[in-house]
């Protein structure tokens, strides 16, 4: 049986969920792809584990100090890297070195953190093209909500004219709570933090940066746009007042934090900010921690997807969807080469 070795760099909530889901699906990979998937290495910032025969679930709690870094992953002999470290779009974060090292040596790479892709997306794509490695990023580009998959598969051949996305679950929850439960911003945020789905420092979400990051990934990887954060106007929800909410309620309009892309005169303009929708608009119905995307194309009109899932499982599943696409592509490559 064909053996494919997988390593995971970044072993927090998402990295661990990905490892556990991957190990629980090994029978599926054997059955559907005729492939023995082995998890050969995992690492956090300072510790890790490696075993060329494959790690099992019971061993993943005892990481060994000193086993970390791109060289550690390189030495593990992995065929595929899953990167799930912290996200920092200003520097690229620690993921950047792992992804560069992986792509430059021709290793298929699944990226879950957004930072490196926002910071250096075009150069990472070029690196993948030149080494022949596949670069996948469903986990980074809104995870359980399909975004790039819709553009690359479902709408293939169409020209995308416009994208509107409710891409951040935390801000959607906050706006929903402010609108439907009459909570102020601080009270809604306190509830989200107590529920564990808003960060202690929520500004990356509430000021719109997380939405902007996902929008850049959709634009650059889905539409070949070449945008940087400097090209975007980014507004968040932190300054929304109870008076504004009340006025929107009277007008029967629902506020959403939306990342938007519009194609005008050959260029793509991008922005993040609050838009309001009438109750009849499907985007007005996207409640709680759900996310949504509306893509308008020249030939297929409007396509809308609404999705969510329990984290971190949903993000792990998005990354492993990428893994299955890679297994399919590898099988096609092997058939073409034989
Ligand atoms: N949580 C979600 O629902 C969700 C959804 C979509 C995308 N994401 C993205 O997924 C990524 C991981 O999220 P998370 O919730 O799992 O975060 P987390 O729990 O904070 O885990 C981050 C992991 O990265 C590790 N790390 C830091 N520096 C590293 C380095 N230099 N080399 C190797 N590993 C390093 C940390 O190691 P230590 O443990 O040693 O510090 C930790 O294991 C983030 O980029 C996030 O934006 C998360």
């Amino acid at each position: 049986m064909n053996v494919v070795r997988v390593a995971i760099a970044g072993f927090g909530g998402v990295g661990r969920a990905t490892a556990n889901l991957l190990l629980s699906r090994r029978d599926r990979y054997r059955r559907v792809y005729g492939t023995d998937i082995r998890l050969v290495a995992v690492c956090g910032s300072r510790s890790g584990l490696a075993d060329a025969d494959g790690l099992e679930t019971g061993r993943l709690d005892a990481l060994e100090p000193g086993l970390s870094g791109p060289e550690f992953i390189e030495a593990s002999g992995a065929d595929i890297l899953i990167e799930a470290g912290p996200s920092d779009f200003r520097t690229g974060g620690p993921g950047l070195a792992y992804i560069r090292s992986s792509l430059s040596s021709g290793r298929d790479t699944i990226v879950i953190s957004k930072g490196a892709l926002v910071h250096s997306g075009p150069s990472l794509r070029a690196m993948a093209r030149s080494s022949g490695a596949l670069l996948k990023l469903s986990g980074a580009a809104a995870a359980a909500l399909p975004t790039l998959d819709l553009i690359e598969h479902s709408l293939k051949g169409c020209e995308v004219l416009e994208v509107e996305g409710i891409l951040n679950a935390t801000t959607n929850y906050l706006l929903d709570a402010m609108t439907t439960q009459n909570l102020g911003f601080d009270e809604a945020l306190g509830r989200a933090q107590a529920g564990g789905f808003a960060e202690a420092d929520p500004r990356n979400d509430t000021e719109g940066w997380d939405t902007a990051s996902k929008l850049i990934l959709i634009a650059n990887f889905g539409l070949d746009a070449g945008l940087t954060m400097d090209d975007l106007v980014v507004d968040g929800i932190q300054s929304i007042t109870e008076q504004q909410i009340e006025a929107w309620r009277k007008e029967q309009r629902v506020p959403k934090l939306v990342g938007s892309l519009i194609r005008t005169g050959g260029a793509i303009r991008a922005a993040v900010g609050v838009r309001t929708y009438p109750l009849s608009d499907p985007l007005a119905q996207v409640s709680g921690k759900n996310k949504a995307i509306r893509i308008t194309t020249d030939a297929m009109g409007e396509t809308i997807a609404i999705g969510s899932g329990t984290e971190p499982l949903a993000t792990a599943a998005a990354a492993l969807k990428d893994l299955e696409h890679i297994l399919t592509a590898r099988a096609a490559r092997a058939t073409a080469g034989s």
Side-chain angles (χ1 to χ4, degrees):
M1 183 171 288
N2 180 30
V3 174
V4 171
R5 298 168 188 82
V6 175
I8 300 178
F11 209 54
V14 172
R16 282 176 185 275
T18 304
N20 288 326
L21 190 60
L22 178 135
L23 293 173
S24 75
R25 287 181 173 175
R26 286 186 71 194
D27 280 347
R28 168 179 169 77
Y29 300 136
R30 284 194 195 98
R31 197 170 17 88
V32 178
Y33 301 97
T35 299
D36 178 13
I37 294 278
R38 292 190 192 161
L39 180 62
V40 294
V42 300
C43 73
S45 63
R46 283 180 294 271
S47 56
L49 267 185
D51 187 334
D53 293 329
L55 297 160
E56 298 295 340
T57 313
R59 288 181 61 196
L60 297 178
D61 283 331
L63 302 195
E64 295 167 16
L67 303 182
S68 177
E71 306 76 20
F72 166 68
I73 297 294
E74 195 70 38
S76 74
D79 305 296
I80 297 175
L81 170 71
I82 301 178
E83 190 281 327
S87 193
D88 183 342
F89 69 82
R90 293 180 179 87
T91 65
L96 187 53
Y98 285 95
I99 299 164
R100 278 189 179 141
S101 151
S102 184
L103 293 176
S104 63
S105 54
R107 186 174 302 115
D108 296 334
T109 303
I110 296 166
V111 182
I112 298 177
S113 72
K114 293 166 276 292
L117 298 168
V118 172
H119 182 270
S120 296
S123 75
L124 294 173
R125 280 185 93 189
M127 207 175 251
R129 262 196 303 272
S130 94
S131 72
L134 296 169
L135 172 58
K136 298 281 185 184
L137 53 140
S138 295
L145 177 73
T147 55
L148 293 170
D149 274 355
L150 286 179
I151 294 170
E152 286 168 7
H153 298 279
S154 310
L155 303 172
K156 202 173 185 69
C158 294
E159 183 175 46
V160 173
L161 305 174
E162 190 171 355
V163 174
E164 282 176 287
I166 299 170
L167 301 174
N168 180 271
T170 303
T171 45
N172 200 55
Y173 169 88
L174 295 176
L175 281 175
D176 197 23
M178 290 163 75
T179 309
T180 60
Q181 298 170 44
N182 290 330
L183 301 182
F185 175 80
D186 290 335
E187 204 181 350
L189 179 60
R191 286 200 190 176
Q193 286 169 325
F197 49 91
E199 305 280 333
D201 179 354
R203 289 174 297 177
N204 190 45
D205 292 326
T206 57
E207 294 179 3
W209 302 112
D210 179 74
T211 298
S213 296
K214 290 168 184 160
L215 195 63
I216 286 180
L217 300 188
I218 294 167
N220 291 356
F221 287 84
L223 309 178
D224 273 329
L227 297 181
T228 70
M229 213 44 110
D230 291 340
D231 298 314
L232 270 71
V233 178
V234 181
D235 270 337
I237 65 164
Q238 70 280 9
S239 311
I240 290 179
T241 61
E242 288 172 38
Q243 290 73 16
Q244 278 172 302
I245 295 279
E246 187 51 36
W248 288 324
R249 193 179 293 121
K250 281 201 180 113
E251 293 165 15
Q252 298 209 308
R253 295 188 73 85
V254 181
K256 296 289 172 194
L257 185 68
V258 170
S260 61
L261 300 171
I262 186 153
R263 197 182 288 276
T264 43
I268 290 182
R269 277 195 294 118
V272 175
V274 172
R275 288 186 174 184
T276 65
Y277 295 94
L279 293 171
S280 56
D281 190 307
L283 293 191
Q285 309 299 327
V286 179
S287 59
K289 290 182 273 175
N290 281 318
K291 293 181 274 190
I293 190 163
R294 170 159 52 208
I295 304 175
T296 308
T297 63
D298 57 349
M300 287 200 201
E302 282 186 10
T303 299
I304 297 179
I306 300 175
S308 68
T310 306
E311 295 296 356
L313 177 65
T315 298
L320 296 186
K321 169 182 71 174
D322 287 346
L323 175 69
E324 297 209 17
H325 284 310
I326 289 175
L327 294 179
T328 303
R330 282 177 163 249
R333 235 186 283 162
T335 308
S338 63

